[in-house]
Amino acid sequence: MPNVTFQSPLLHKNVTVYAVAGDTSSILAVADAHKIPIPHDCRDGECGSCLIEVVTLSGKTMGSALTEKEKAQLKSLGKITADEIRLAEVDDIAPKYRLACQYVVRDQDILVKFTGEPGGA
Ligand code: FES
């Protein structure tokens, strides 16, 4: 079972939770279930307020699939390049920034950072 560790100035200390690999829950849903206050609005990849930074702690550094909405939103926020999109899609290498409502947990331990400001990562 993968560990998801949340780190934010809004939290007194890092919070690590166990997630179910293969589940279709987004990081935002995992955060909600554990009362982790990642900012969000649309929950549909369109507002960018749930921007997070993801660091792989163990396991292969792999990206979960980028949705078209996520790619478009990350591009408009200036948080992903065409090269990073290609690496994610061709080589399964995770980009640094993601949208918590679009990122599905995979079988890897990750650190999720967020500032608490909508779209602030
Ligand atoms: Fe709007 Fe994730 S909540 S993009």
Side-chain angles (χ1 to χ4, degrees):
M1 252 190 345
N3 288 343
V4 179
T5 300
F6 294 94
Q7 182 181 77
S8 170
L10 297 182
L11 304 171
H12 296 299
K13 59 180 182 169
N14 289 1
V15 177
T16 299
V17 303
Y18 301 100
V20 179
D23 192 348
T24 55
S25 293
S26 67
I27 289 291
L28 184 58
V30 172
D32 280 351
H34 294 88
K35 302 196 180 335
I36 306 292
I38 295 178
H40 60 276
D41 188 7
C42 71
R43 294 183 169 273
D44 196 29
E46 294 184 345
C47 72
S49 61
C50 66
L51 186 70
I52 54 173
E53 181 180 342
V54 179
V55 178
T56 302
L57 298 176
S58 71
K60 186 174 174 262
T61 302
M62 56 190 177
S64 70
L66 287 157
T67 64
E68 291 303 316
K69 282 182 185 174
E70 185 175 17
K71 280 189 278 187
Q73 189 57 239
L74 289 172
K75 273 200 269 186
S76 76
L77 294 170
K79 294 296 186 181
I80 198 166
T81 64
D83 273 353
E84 288 172 316
I85 291 173
R86 190 173 56 251
L87 285 171
E89 294 182 338
V90 176
D91 297 327
D92 202 22
I93 295 174
K96 182 176 180 180
Y97 294 102
R98 298 298 301 263
L99 297 177
C101 69
Q102 301 293 297
Y103 185 108
V104 175
V105 177
R106 291 175 75 170
D107 192 15
Q108 60 186 159
D109 295 340
I110 58 172
L111 173 65
V112 173
K113 300 181 190 179
F114 63 100
T115 63
E117 294 295 320

